[in-house]
Amino acid sequence: MPQVVRPRFAVLHGTHPAAPLPQRFRSLADRAAVEVLHRAARVLVASLPVLTDRLVEALYEQEPGYRAAIDSDRAEVWQEVHHSLRHNVGSLIQPREFRDAAHRTSRWIGEIRAEQGVPLDAVLHAFRMGGAMVWQDLVDETARRDPDDVRLLVHVAADVWNFVDEHCGIVADAYRQAERRLSWRRENQQRLMVAALLDGTARIADVGEAAAMLGLPEQGRYAVLAVASVRSGGPQQPAPARPRVTLPTALPPDAAPTAGPDGPSYAAPATTLWHTGPDAAFAILRLTGDPGDPGELHAIADALDAPAGTRAGIGSAVDGLAALGDARRLAETALRACPAAGGTVVLDEHLPDALVVSSPALGSALADRVLGPLDRLDPSDRDVILETLTAWLDADGSAQRAGARLYCHRNTVLNRLRRFEQLTGRCLTRPRDAVEVSLALAARRLLGA
């Protein structure tokens, strides 16, 4: 079937890849319209500075997205618009000579406007405004020379607007590519800055810049949350990706603690930034509560939404971004104090455990010295004594409550405690011995000593 309709864009630009159509399908109106278009376009090329002035002024009045750029550097915007018009109008006359340069110009505009933060909609609107202004000038110039030729421009109108749409597509593609590069660069810079703050390697001179980049107050109060998964065997496993932990969002970020029927409630951390290390993931928590109230950290811990088998440690609060390195180390200590099966530990509420895990060698030595004599017993017998001792300490020294937990009589509890004292030479009523026993049990539980 013969091709009856051929794209006029090819006639205008001379780029149609298909073989020439038979002569009978060539439109004399098309040829005449292209000649009329070329004549009017040559006049526009000669008056480009005036056209540029008009377009820049129209952008200032009609496109708010460009107003700040024009106020900042009108000459730079003028040169950009003039450059684009020169290549695009030139493409109407000599498409082969100007096509590549016009494409490069459109890509450059898309990239630079993305870097400057001008909205993409504003950039595309500017291109369409320029296209409309060029088309109107082509019509006006043709009408001035020979009004009868205006009707011929209808034959190339679609080609001109296809040209405008093509360059809008080039601009949009370049803008989005530049936006992705900028986003990646910002995210990479942010990751590096967060890592430096948490490692304690950020220079004091860079802390102000870090605060601006991360949107955090330099002198705010912070804590760090450390999160890691757990192997089936118990020890923590490396965390190549951040565990799926959701932080509390019950209240607006800057809300103060409010009284409720169950006591004060607290805001979610105002800003949370994550950093994944080789063994754990860390979150910077910006605190907004009263510095003298430890309940904020406890509220965050209670509201954490973490999957089963996740270990989470929240370190003590510190003052200022520059102290985040200390906050991370405190969070790691809290993480080491977590139960092997998972759970959440707030460091301020588990300081004795933190002492044990902070010095594993000393903790193991203490456990061996205090609990070592029990290792000579049958394992099941030893475990019963340790379980009873732990329950008694958790019950604040009450044999009655310890018996209730263990489902045995209080006298059974007392007999087992007495046997422990006989085997180890410790006296549980002596405060120093009670402290050593408590720390030794923590070392055996946390360190496997």
Side-chain angles (χ1 to χ4, degrees):
M1 179 176 179
Q3 183 179 356
V4 179
V5 180
R6 59 193 174 92
R8 291 192 175 88
F9 188 82
V11 175
L12 178 62
H13 281 196
T15 59
H16 195 278
L21 291 174
Q23 185 64 35
R24 64 180 178 276
F25 291 116
R26 292 189 182 278
S27 169
L28 295 177
D30 283 351
R31 289 188 174 186
V34 170
E35 291 175 0
V36 170
L37 176 67
H38 286 180
R39 284 198 300 270
R42 291 189 186 97
V43 175
L44 260 64
V45 170
S47 60
L48 275 183
V50 176
L51 177 59
T52 303
D53 288 338
R54 289 166 47 213
L55 181 52
V56 170
E57 193 59 37
L59 286 173
Y60 189 83
E61 294 176 357
Q62 301 177 34
E63 182 43 70
Y66 262 78
R67 198 164 296 151
I70 295 173
D71 282 336
S72 175
D73 194 341
R74 177 178 285 265
E76 188 269 337
V77 176
W78 193 97
Q79 288 294 339
E80 172 193 304
V81 172
H82 184 268
H83 201 59
S84 177
L85 288 173
R86 179 164 62 87
H87 286 100
N88 291 339
V89 175
S91 294
L92 300 177
I93 306 169
Q94 297 174 296
R96 291 180 179 175
E97 288 79 359
F98 282 90
R99 177 184 175 87
D100 290 343
H103 284 188
R104 286 194 300 271
T105 299
S106 295
R107 281 193 293 270
W108 175 77
I109 291 174
E111 291 173 355
I112 195 170
R113 289 303 171 214
E115 292 174 357
Q116 294 172 344
V118 178
L120 177 57
D121 287 346
V123 182
L124 296 179
H125 184 210
F127 262 76
R128 293 190 177 101
M129 286 176 63
M133 190 171 289
V134 167
W135 174 251
Q136 188 60 52
D137 281 8
L138 291 172
V139 172
D140 292 345
E141 175 58 25
T142 302
R144 185 184 67 80
R145 283 177 170 269
D146 189 345
D148 291 339
D149 286 345
V150 172
R151 60 185 176 80
L152 292 175
L153 290 180
V154 174
H155 294 272
V156 295
D159 300 319
V160 172
W161 286 107
N162 284 342
F163 178 86
V164 173
D165 286 343
E166 176 192 8
H167 280 261
C168 283
I170 292 171
V171 168
D173 183 62
Y175 186 102
R176 293 188 182 102
Q177 289 183 18
E179 200 171 39
R180 285 193 292 271
R181 289 196 301 271
L182 291 169
S183 177
W184 178 88
R185 192 181 306 158
R186 283 193 298 269
E187 291 175 359
N188 192 50
Q189 289 174 340
Q190 185 182 81
R191 281 195 298 270
L192 293 174
M193 187 60 74
V194 169
L197 288 171
L198 290 172
D199 289 342
T201 57
R203 299 182 305 174
I204 296 298
D206 294 335
V207 173
E209 179 185 351
M213 179 189 299
L214 303 177
L216 297 172
E218 185 175 350
Q219 299 303 326
R221 290 178 62 249
Y222 298 95
V224 170
L225 164 68
V227 180
S229 300
V230 177
R231 286 201 194 104
S232 58
Q236 104 183 24
Q237 68 179 16
R242 174 168 67 88
R244 297 186 299 276
V245 173
T246 303
L247 289 164
T249 56
L251 297 177
D254 296 323
T258 57
D262 299 322
S265 57
Y266 297 86
T271 304
T272 304
L273 296 170
W274 285 93
H275 170 72
T276 300
D279 298 319
F282 301 91
I284 297 174
L285 308 177
R286 178 187 165 194
L287 306 178
T288 57
D290 185 346
D293 181 7
E296 184 174 13
L297 295 177
H298 184 74
I300 293 173
D302 287 345
L304 282 179
D305 183 11
T310 299
R311 306 168 74 225
I314 301 177
S316 304
V318 298
D319 293 321
L321 282 178
L324 281 179
D326 294 333
R328 171 180 175 161
R329 287 186 284 275
L330 293 171
E332 288 176 323
T333 300
L335 184 62
R336 290 195 296 272
C338 283
T344 301
V345 165
V346 178
L347 183 64
D348 290 348
E349 299 175 357
H350 294 80
L351 292 177
D353 290 352
L355 288 174
V356 170
V357 298
S358 294
S359 182
L362 291 179
S364 297
L366 179 63
D368 289 340
R369 180 178 178 183
V370 175
L371 305 177
L374 299 181
D375 293 334
R376 294 191 291 268
L377 300 176
D378 181 85
S380 60
D381 194 14
R382 177 200 61 202
D383 291 344
V384 167
I385 293 178
L386 290 176
E387 182 184 22
T388 303
L389 186 59
T390 301
W392 180 77
L393 288 171
D394 289 342
D396 297 326
S398 169
Q400 186 74 35
R401 291 200 302 272
R405 293 186 183 185
L406 298 172
Y407 303 102
C408 64
H409 195 273
R410 64 181 297 274
N411 289 339
T412 303
V413 172
L414 293 174
N415 288 335
R416 292 172 183 173
L417 296 179
R418 195 173 300 112
R419 188 178 179 203
F420 168 79
E421 291 178 328
Q422 293 170 349
L423 291 170
T424 62
R426 305 286 168 169
C427 179
L428 294 176
T429 59
R430 186 182 302 136
R432 178 171 179 173
D433 284 359
V435 169
E436 289 186 352
V437 169
S438 178
L439 292 176
L441 287 171
R444 178 153 292 195
R445 171 172 49 86
L446 296 170
L447 304 175

